[in-house]
Amino acid sequence: MCLGLPGKVVEIKEFSVIVDIAGTKREVSTMMLADDIEVGDYVMVHVGFAIAKMDPKEAEETLKTIIEYADEID
């Protein structure tokens, strides 16, 4: 099973973006992303790549669900 996480774009570079995923910032490649993105957009992040642009509401709900599930495991 593969897991992608929604990340909010906080900075754009030439071939990558900095995303914020639940308070953790990391640089991910945009080389696989077909959509144009702007700061504030949400992208699905999988193994270091932004693979799809996401609807903001769907991204926030998905991240909330993942965090709730992770909290239950702990």
Side-chain angles (χ1 to χ4, degrees), residues 2-31:
C2 297
L3 179 64
L5 298 172
K8 186 174 186 176
V9 176
V10 295
E11 182 181 338
I12 298 176
K13 298 185 174 190
E14 187 173 359
F15 298 108
S16 64
V17 292
I18 305 296
V19 295
D20 182 323
I21 301 173
T24 299
K25 293 183 177 130
R26 69 177 311 138
E27 186 171 354
V28 297
S29 173
T30 55
M31 297 299 289

Side-chain angles (χ1 to χ4, degrees), residues 2-69:
C2 297
L3 179 64
L5 298 172
K8 186 174 186 176
V9 176
V10 295
E11 182 181 338
I12 298 176
K13 298 185 174 190
E14 187 173 359
F15 298 108
S16 64
V17 292
I18 305 296
V19 295
D20 182 323
I21 301 173
T24 299
K25 293 183 177 130
R26 69 177 311 138
E27 186 171 354
V28 297
S29 173
T30 55
M31 297 299 289
M32 295 180 66
L33 191 62
D35 299 316
D36 290 331
I37 53 172
E38 300 177 2
V39 170
D41 286 343
Y42 282 87
V43 293
M44 178 62 66
V45 178
H46 178 65
V47 293
F49 289 89
I51 59 172
K53 189 172 177 179
M54 295 184 71
D55 173 77
K57 184 177 179 181
E58 179 184 358
E60 291 171 3
E61 289 174 6
T62 300
L63 191 56
K64 180 182 173 190
T65 300
I66 291 170
I67 290 169
E68 287 172 355
Y69 180 73

